[in-house]
Amino acid sequence: MTHSPNRHAHAPELRAAAQHLGRRRFLTVTGAAAALAFAVNLPGTAHAAELDAKKITEDPFTLGVASGDPQPGSVTLWTRLATRPYEPDSGLPRARVQLRWELAHDARFTRVARRGSVTAHPEFHHSVHVDVTGLDNDRPYFYRFRAGSWISPAGRTRTAPARNARISELRLGAVSCQAYHDGYFTAYKHLAEEDLDAVFHLGDYLYEYAVNAVGGARNYPDRVLPAHFNRETVTLEDYRLRYGLYKSDPDLRAAHAAHAFILTWDDHETENNYAGDIPENGVPPEEFLLRRAAAYRAYWENQPLRRPQRPAGADMHLYRRLHFGRLAQFDTLDTRQYRSDQAYGDGWKVPGPESQDPARTLTGATQERWLLSGWKSSRARWNVVPQQVTFAQRRDVPTAAYKVSMDAWDGYSASRDRVLAGAEAAGIENLMVLTGDVHVGYAFDLKRDFNDPASPTVGTELVATSISSGKDGADKPGNWDNLTKANPHMKFYNGRRGYVNITLGEQQARADFRTVSAVTTPGAPITTAASFVTEAGSPGLKPA
């Protein structure tokens, strides 16, 4: 997408930081992060006045509540105060607000387990992140916030089991790609009603593209969205407003209130197909890093992430590891921030020396070492890798003149080879990759050598279709015949909207691909398009 961002729209302190550093220093991500860390005000630097929460006259909890990153005896709670989420200041003055929070064993809050207070700072757009500790392991809890006389909706969350606990089953959801302008978030309404332990969001939580007055394909008959949504997001204010729009959706709020989310981003939270500090278009890198810093900060402000994930300017440490007893280890990746630029100018291209260069990386060297090292020490039954872009080989036609996506792992084949070799060297028997990005549902067997159909199967990839991106879709997209014939390791391909439910057990894992018939009109029912199982110790997908 071509765009011409207003270079004078960034906050003055960000632009001053960039000019002070000069082009050479700013071209390094580390240099940008160091500058922008002080430039985007942190609480305490502005000495904001305090607003008495009792003076808030409109509901400040319009964006709901959320929880995330469950650990043994601990979970993170989130909310953001916004009486008017479609306005730049969210309807609140530039003043800090004291909130109270409580977490209980029951939905009526008669047995409160923990309570406390937290400050919503204007520097963080009145968002709060509360890391609650000292809880029981592997238990459901209910939580809520209070601001003056206002009480938030209640959310339900769950802590993780102890690291050495033996658990028989873990129920997960996997979602991705929710373009507001492409349709309703109906799938989230159904996801909220599922019985799950946690939900993985695999990227494209929002899109930077313009949303017109009627909400694009939603075609609202009863409301008019403000004109400031009808432009591409570039500045911190743009991204903050866009989160306000997305999080005002009732189905998204319901899903967050029902389940703990474990999130990672892809490209559209910042800009389509960016690679590290390289933008999609011809914007100067130092200009793009200003945009990236704004996008990363807004992402942190609006997600239930822990303090180690708080960004420093244009840098944010998002990859992280979670354990659910002895049953599962989750290594959540960031394949966007550290990657090499896409080969051959991006798009679908014939693979060659550039895309196959061993020096190319999708994860960056540090994250790759972290992943492989974590597998060496893993004692989990299932080693699951939630990440963004298609991992398995995906040829576009069943002929020798095939092309592959330069933005996916196919465009970084040496990087993929190192990951698969590292899993094998670590003795990982039950490897599962969870993927988003492509707006379709796939199920793949992962092969040691994708060019040899007889090569051993070494794992499984489950690709969650989009929540709404791509509009209604179809059960069999136009390239269904070509892709299924060109990729014998592809066991499923469906182009409807929805999500994947994954059940991990001691003996097998099950995947249920859940789809809705339409998102351009609200209220579509949910169905199961297909179900598969893979047995522990014997990788390979079979119809359930």
Side-chain angles (χ1 to χ4, degrees), residues 362-419:
L362 199 60
T363 62
T366 301
Q367 185 178 193
E368 182 180 298
R369 287 194 299 268
W370 168 86
L371 176 63
L372 302 188
S373 175
W375 280 340
K376 290 177 183 178
S377 60
S378 175
R379 298 295 179 266
R381 171 72 75 176
W382 298 94
N383 283 273
V384 184
V385 183
Q387 56 94 53
Q388 296 77 10
V389 294
T390 303
F391 187 85
Q393 186 180 82
R394 188 172 40 128
R395 299 181 177 185
D396 66 337
V397 293
T399 65
Y402 67 87
K403 297 177 181 179
V404 295
S405 170
M406 293 295 111
D407 190 59
W409 287 83
D410 274 334
Y412 304 77
S413 55
S415 191
R416 177 174 60 200
D417 290 344
R418 290 193 297 270
V419 168

Side-chain angles (χ1 to χ4, degrees), residues 314-459:
D315 190 23
M316 182 168 169
H317 189 104
L318 194 59
Y319 64 87
R320 60 208 188 277
R321 179 172 294 125
L322 295 173
H323 302 272
F324 281 71
R326 297 186 183 184
L327 189 60
Q329 173 175 305
F330 297 98
D331 294 293
T332 302
L333 301 186
D334 174 358
T335 63
R336 192 57 62 178
Q337 187 176 180
Y338 314 106
R339 66 160 65 192
S340 307
D341 196 11
Q342 292 91 347
Y344 300 115
D346 205 0
W348 284 73
K349 303 290 173 59
V350 176
E354 184 178 341
S355 63
Q356 296 165 352
D357 183 351
R360 289 173 51 72
T361 176
L362 199 60
T363 62
T366 301
Q367 185 178 193
E368 182 180 298
R369 287 194 299 268
W370 168 86
L371 176 63
L372 302 188
S373 175
W375 280 340
K376 290 177 183 178
S377 60
S378 175
R379 298 295 179 266
R381 171 72 75 176
W382 298 94
N383 283 273
V384 184
V385 183
Q387 56 94 53
Q388 296 77 10
V389 294
T390 303
F391 187 85
Q393 186 180 82
R394 188 172 40 128
R395 299 181 177 185
D396 66 337
V397 293
T399 65
Y402 67 87
K403 297 177 181 179
V404 295
S405 170
M406 293 295 111
D407 190 59
W409 287 83
D410 274 334
Y412 304 77
S413 55
S415 191
R416 177 174 60 200
D417 290 344
R418 290 193 297 270
V419 168
L420 288 176
E424 186 171 5
I428 299 302
E429 292 185 344
N430 302 308
L431 174 64
M432 179 179 288
V433 177
L434 303 182
T435 300
D437 181 57
V438 286
H439 312 166
V440 298
Y442 290 132
F444 291 105
D445 285 348
L446 299 180
K447 310 297 285 188
R448 181 182 294 165
D449 179 1
F450 286 103
N451 294 316
D452 177 8
S455 177
T457 297
V458 295

Side-chain angles (χ1 to χ4, degrees), residues 209-226:
Y209 304 144
V211 180
N212 66 18
V214 296
R218 295 187 177 209
N219 197 26
Y220 287 135
D222 59 347
R223 73 198 77 173
V224 176
L225 297 179

Side-chain angles (χ1 to χ4, degrees), residues 190-256:
H190 298 294
L191 184 78
E193 298 168 355
E194 302 273 10
D195 182 12
L196 302 173
D197 295 300
V199 171
F200 285 90
H201 197 294
L202 305 168
D204 293 343
Y205 190 95
L206 60 68
Y207 282 69
E208 75 275 29
Y209 304 144
V211 180
N212 66 18
V214 296
R218 295 187 177 209
N219 197 26
Y220 287 135
D222 59 347
R223 73 198 77 173
V224 176
L225 297 179
H228 54 230
F229 291 128
N230 199 18
R231 64 177 184 240
E232 185 171 347
T233 55
V234 176
T235 69
L236 180 57
E237 181 177 291
D238 291 338
Y239 287 106
R240 283 172 164 174
L241 280 166
R242 194 61 54 88
Y243 280 104
L245 174 64
Y246 274 57
K247 284 182 170 290
S248 68
D249 183 276
D251 294 332
L252 176 57
R253 293 201 310 270
H256 272 299

